[in-house]
Amino acid sequence: MIKFEDVTKIYPPSTVGLERVSLHIEKGEFVFLVGPSGSGKSTFIRLLIREIEQDRGRIIVGGRDLDTLRSWKIPYLRRNIGCVFQDFKLLTNKTAFENVMYALVVTGNATGASKKKAAEILALVGLGHKSDSYPNELSGGEQQRVSIARAFVNHPPLLIADEPTGNLDPDTSMGIMQLLYRINKTGTTVLMATHDREMVDRMRRRVIALDNGKVVRDQKRGGYGED
Amino acid sequence: MGRISFFLKEAFGSLRRNYFMTIAALVTVFLSIVVLGGVLVFVFTTDALLKEVEEKVEITVYLKTDPDPTAEEVAIMQDQITSWPEVKSSSYITKEQALQRLKEDYADSPEIFESLTSNPLPASFEIALVDPQTVDIVAARFEGDSIVDEVRYGKEIADKLFAFTDQARNFMLIFIVLLGIVAILLISNTIRLSIFARKREVEIMKLVGATNWFIRWPFLIEGITVGFLGALVATAVVLGLNHYLVGTVSDNLAFLAMPLDAVPYVLVTVILLAVGVVIGAAGSAIGLRRFLKV
Ligand SMILES: Nc1ncnc2c1ncn2[C@@H]1O[C@H](COP(=O)(O)OP(=O)(O)OP(=O)(O)O)[C@@H](O)[C@H]1O
Ligand SMILES: [Mg+2]
């Protein structure tokens, strides 16, 4: 699903984002990306959705080499990667329902069936009754669930979450976690960057630890820290 | 179909939401088109007036009176004149017709003609030209002719007028081009501001997988709508004002007997609306360009 081969990203003039990272994530895996602040987790994710480009190395997503991907094809890549951000990135002038719909409409799916789908997915994340609320009328946890609904509504083969629980209390975080877990059960590969030690320790999934841009640990059923 | 209605909904929704920017852009378009429209109206009106004046540039050839030319000599000259390609029309004014005209001009005081024993006025040719600029050449041909007494065509007035009209036309053209550039800059700047305020929105759209055109269309529709509406109001104001002013002026200056309302309303409306739409669309496209590179 995801393959990094000796990938290096330097932010000008000389800040290391990632340094010589090589790793392989299989289809259907659930992977935690951990590491201290500034270790390169967001850089990893931004490279995956081609928000930025690497300086060296090769990145292959879903069989496609991102280096040879024409820029007009980037939107099509992103439609196959559901993305959940720490700051939600919801469109503030659209309701919860319209935000979810937007991900469908950009793919050319604005039919009645897709409306039903958007409503269903909102119900699935527990926000059926708030679908007409605007983001500023929702709590942080609710906004994050809207953004997960938007990321998942197209049933992408890959779902990436950059600290989706970063701003949320433990209970709400647990709810979000469960949601991602369920999504993973449908066969979607899930990659989640997080600082949430307790969560990682509890889930016992693959853990990739970054430090200073380098992979320092890659464990099949790991915890947040060294075992 | 679903897509088009989505774009329209997006565009009008955002026009309503960002009403302050919408109004700013509308005012910018309005002002630009009012000035452009004013210039257009001015150009059309002065052009028509100048053409009218140019057409009044006539050559009058006075024939000798002592002795008067024979009918045969007059006929020869008449044939000559009509054979010249520069001549649009010419007429021969006999001594009697000249006197008759003079009497009509002074109908209020017929007593000044009482003492006349013979007709002192010369016969003449009045010549209108196809191109008024050829007046010098045509007039020169009468020089030294044995039956011609004098050729008059208000040489200096004609020359000055031509110099002025040429200059005025060039000046107007330059002015219109400059104005167009300024208007596009102003509007793309206004729209850029409004897009800048929505930079985050555009970023999010891109991250969710929207293509550039998918993002661009609502913005283009917004720009076109603003351009069209601003231009529509501006056109109504300019043409309405022109109509009103022409009415007032021709009431007060009825003796001018010139076609004051020379503005082709439909053409000017089409031009101004088209310019408004193009400016709006270009402004959107230029303003958006920078933000689509995520
Ligand atoms: N746009 C940028 N320009 C310059 N340097 C950057 C930029 N983005 C990130 N960096 C630097 O790259 C390094 C890695 O940053 P990154 O955002 O990937 O860390 P992170 O692991 O996501 O941290 P956090 O846990 O705080 O989100 C940091 O040193 C950061 O300062
Ligand atoms: Mg980060």
Side-chain angles (χ1 to χ4, degrees), chain A residues 11 15-17 36-43 46 163 195:
Chain A
Y11 290 106
T15 312
V16 175
S37 187
S39 56
K41 302 184 295 294
S42 297
T43 302
R46 293 172 70 204
E163 301 189 38
H195 283 300

Side-chain angles (χ1 to χ4, degrees), chain A residues 49 51 75-76 78-79 85 87 89-91 93-94 102-103 105-106 108 150, chain B residues 2-3 6 10 17 200-201 204-212 214-215 294:
Chain A
I49 57 174
E51 201 183 331
Y76 302 93
R78 290 177 181 162
R79 288 175 200 176
F85 305 91
D87 60 350
K89 292 205 194 299
L90 295 176
L91 296 165
N93 48 51
K94 290 194 189 312
Y102 195 84
V105 178
V106 295
R150 178 183 63 187
Chain B
R3 199 165 251 246
F6 178 80
E10 288 285 290
R17 261 196 319 279
R200 204 183 123 81
E201 198 179 319
I204 295 173
M205 291 169 175
K206 292 225 67 174
L207 290 178
V208 176
T211 57
N212 283 348
F214 193 87
I215 296 171
V294 175

Side-chain angles (χ1 to χ4, degrees), chain B residues 6-285:
Chain B
F6 178 80
F7 290 148
L8 288 174
K9 238 176 73 188
E10 288 285 290
F12 292 119
S14 117
L15 281 174
R16 211 166 342 103
R17 261 196 319 279
N18 307 298
Y19 62 94
F20 187 77
M21 280 302 178
T22 305
I23 291 170
L26 269 174
V27 169
T28 314
V29 174
F30 172 79
L31 290 179
S32 310
I33 299 290
V34 161
V35 178
L36 179 66
V39 170
L40 273 185
V41 164
F42 186 72
V43 167
F44 276 116
T45 308
T46 51
D47 209 57
L49 290 181
L50 290 176
K51 274 224 183 72
E52 186 77 13
V53 175
E54 276 181 359
E55 254 158 35
K56 296 223 161 113
V57 175
E58 261 189 354
I59 303 178
T60 308
V61 182
Y62 294 102
L63 304 183
K64 288 189 173 154
T65 51
D66 204 15
D68 289 318
T70 63
E72 197 183 340
E73 283 171 322
V74 170
I76 290 170
M77 180 165 275
Q78 173 85 72
D79 286 349
Q80 237 175 4
I81 292 173
T82 43
S83 73
W84 293 333
E86 295 93 340
V87 173
K88 187 158 80 183
S89 66
S90 68
S91 54
Y92 177 63
I93 311 295
T94 62
K95 288 169 70 83
E96 291 69 32
Q97 284 166 333
L99 185 62
Q100 190 53 41
R101 275 194 199 171
L102 197 65
K103 281 181 176 165
E104 277 163 21
D105 284 350
Y106 289 91
D108 293 346
S109 41
E111 63 278 2
I112 58 170
F113 298 101
E114 281 166 13
S115 57
L116 282 182
T117 51
S118 65
N119 183 349
L121 298 177
S124 62
F125 281 102
E126 289 178 357
I127 303 167
L129 300 172
V130 178
D131 176 4
Q133 306 253 24
T134 58
V135 66
D136 272 326
I137 308 164
V138 177
R141 295 191 187 133
F142 294 101
E143 242 163 61
D145 194 297
S146 60
I147 61 164
V148 172
D149 183 35
E150 195 187 359
V151 181
R152 275 206 208 147
Y153 60 94
K155 180 174 170 29
E156 276 167 22
I157 296 175
D159 285 351
K160 271 188 193 153
L161 190 64
F162 295 140
F164 173 73
T165 56
D166 279 354
Q167 242 176 20
R169 277 174 204 171
N170 290 340
F171 177 74
M172 292 289 175
L173 265 180
I174 294 172
F175 189 67
I176 284 189
V177 170
L178 284 181
L179 187 82
I181 294 172
V182 170
I184 288 190
L185 283 181
L186 267 177
I187 288 158
S188 75
N189 225 37
T190 310
I191 292 180
R192 196 189 335 252
L193 271 179
S194 108
I195 291 173
F196 189 74
R198 288 190 272 162
K199 187 174 181 319
R200 204 183 123 81
E201 198 179 319
V202 171
E203 255 170 40
I204 295 173
M205 291 169 175
K206 292 225 67 174
L207 290 178
V208 176
T211 57
N212 283 348
W213 272 109
F214 193 87
I215 296 171
R216 212 177 269 135
W217 269 117
F219 280 99
L220 278 183
I221 294 173
E222 276 180 56
I224 289 170
T225 307
V226 166
F228 184 81
L229 289 182
L232 193 68
V233 179
T235 307
V237 167
V238 167
L239 293 184
L241 207 61
N242 177 62
H243 190 73
Y244 170 76
L245 286 179
V246 164
T248 333
V249 170
S250 39
D251 280 353
N252 293 328
L253 303 174
F255 62 87
L256 266 180
M258 281 189 177
L260 278 172
D261 203 351
V263 178
Y265 280 66
V266 175
L267 181 66
V268 169
T269 304
V270 169
I271 290 177
L272 292 184
L273 289 184
V275 170
V277 165
V278 167
I279 285 178
S284 284

